[in-house]
């Protein structure tokens, strides 16, 4: 699916390792080993790799194109697991804000409070929206490299998505984020 999108809009798409984000943070490199150790201890006591069912269609936000999770085999466990991951990782975040947050203006009071407590205001307990971002910076309708007008809505409607594809998560990883929130590199993987 990503290759088909890039074929129409090849203007330097960001490197992206497909993933479902549980938490994003800015962390000093020197603190990474301690975070890895504490997550490892937690994961040994709480192994949880959910089975996910994906939607049969893609979603365009006019910024990114998402393939959203339709159903999770044990939603309650995922929510509890997510909350624990956020609590552990948030303790290691840098006092300096992530670039993705610094660029935003006019945050609501609630968003500012979440940034103060977690460094971000999305993907926190209570508002987890599991999805795989297939294409970043999709923007608006435009012409492709052949100068042919392409409607994003029409394009994603043409891409075949296997209805109800089901898969079990294989691992939890810590990745290096790019400007768009894309994962450019796996720094550590918990099998």
């Amino acid at each position: 699916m990503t290759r088909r999108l890039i074929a129409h809009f090849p203007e330097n798409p960001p490197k992206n390792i497909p993933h479902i984000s549980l938490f994003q943070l800015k962390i000093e490199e020197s603190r990474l080993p301690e975070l890895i150790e504490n997550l490892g201890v937690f994961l040994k006591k709480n192994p949880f790799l959910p089975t996910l069912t994906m939607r049969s269609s893609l979603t365009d936000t006019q910024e990114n194109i998402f393939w959203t999770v339709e159903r999770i085999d044990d939603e309650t466990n995922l929510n509890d697991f997510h909350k624990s991951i956020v609590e552990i990782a948030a303790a290691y975040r840098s006092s300096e804000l992530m670039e993705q947050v610094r660029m935003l203006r006019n945050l609501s009071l609630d968003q500012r409070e979440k940034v103060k407590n977690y460094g971000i205001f999305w993907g926190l307990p209570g508002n987890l929206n599991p999805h795989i971002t297939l294409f970043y910076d999709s923007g608006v309708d435009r012409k492709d490299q052949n100068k042919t007008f392409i409607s994003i809505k029409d394009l994603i409607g043409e891409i075949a998505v296997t209805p109800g594809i089901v898969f079990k998560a294989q691992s939890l990883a810590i990745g290096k984020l790019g400007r768009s929130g894309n994962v450019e590199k796996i720094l550590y993987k918990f099998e």
Side-chain angles (χ1 to χ4, degrees):
M1 289 183 280
T2 302
R3 279 194 304 269
R4 177 108 184 256
L5 293 164
I6 289 170
H8 286 285
F9 305 112
E11 305 112 25
N12 301 317
K15 221 159 100 173
N16 181 38
I17 298 169
H19 66 281
I20 295 175
S21 295
L22 291 179
F23 187 61
Q24 295 177 353
L25 76 154
K26 182 167 189 159
I27 183 171
E28 301 298 328
E29 193 173 344
S30 62
R31 301 205 68 201
L32 197 54
E34 190 179 347
L35 171 61
I36 291 168
E37 182 180 334
N38 283 332
L39 282 174
V41 169
F42 169 76
L43 294 170
K44 281 183 183 164
K45 294 178 186 173
N46 303 280
F48 178 66
L49 293 172
T51 298
L52 308 164
T53 303
M54 304 305 289
R55 283 193 186 154
S56 60
S57 61
L58 303 179
T59 303
D60 172 32
T61 67
Q62 293 294 306
E63 291 178 358
N64 302 316
I65 296 175
F66 294 152
W67 193 13
T68 304
V69 173
E70 183 75 40
R71 193 174 68 251
I72 301 161
D73 66 344
D74 194 340
E75 190 101 25
T76 303
N77 274 355
L78 178 63
N79 290 330
D80 292 344
F81 183 79
H82 175 243
K83 183 178 180 191
S84 296
I85 295 294
V86 170
E87 286 174 0
I88 292 166
Y92 293 93
R93 69 183 178 88
S94 170
S95 59
E96 185 180 330
L97 290 177
M98 292 174 51
E99 178 185 356
Q100 294 84 345
V101 176
R102 281 195 324 257
M103 292 184 324
L104 299 173
R105 297 192 172 33
N106 302 322
L107 297 181
S108 71
L109 185 59
D110 179 58
Q111 289 170 329
R112 284 196 306 265
E113 189 65 26
K114 287 176 179 171
V115 168
K116 178 181 165 192
N117 293 328
Y118 299 100
I120 60 174
F121 59 86
W122 59 86
L124 296 174
N127 74 352
L128 179 64
N129 176 26
H131 63 273
I132 298 171
T133 306
L134 297 176
F135 194 79
Y136 291 86
D137 300 325
S138 59
V140 294
D141 300 337
R142 53 188 156 160
K143 292 183 179 180
D144 69 6
Q145 71 272 24
N146 299 320
K147 306 298 183 213
T148 304
F149 179 77
I150 298 292
S151 160
I152 300 266
K153 184 177 179 183
D154 290 345
L155 176 62
I156 66 173
E158 290 173 7
I159 294 175
V161 180
T162 306
I165 189 170
V166 177
F167 67 94
K168 186 171 184 82
Q170 296 296 306
S171 60
L172 183 77
I174 296 174
K176 179 181 182 287
L177 294 181
R179 182 189 63 78
S180 300
N182 50 306
V183 173
E184 295 182 338
K185 180 180 178 183
I186 300 296
L187 300 174
Y188 191 86
K189 187 187 248 184
F190 302 91
E191 295 295 342

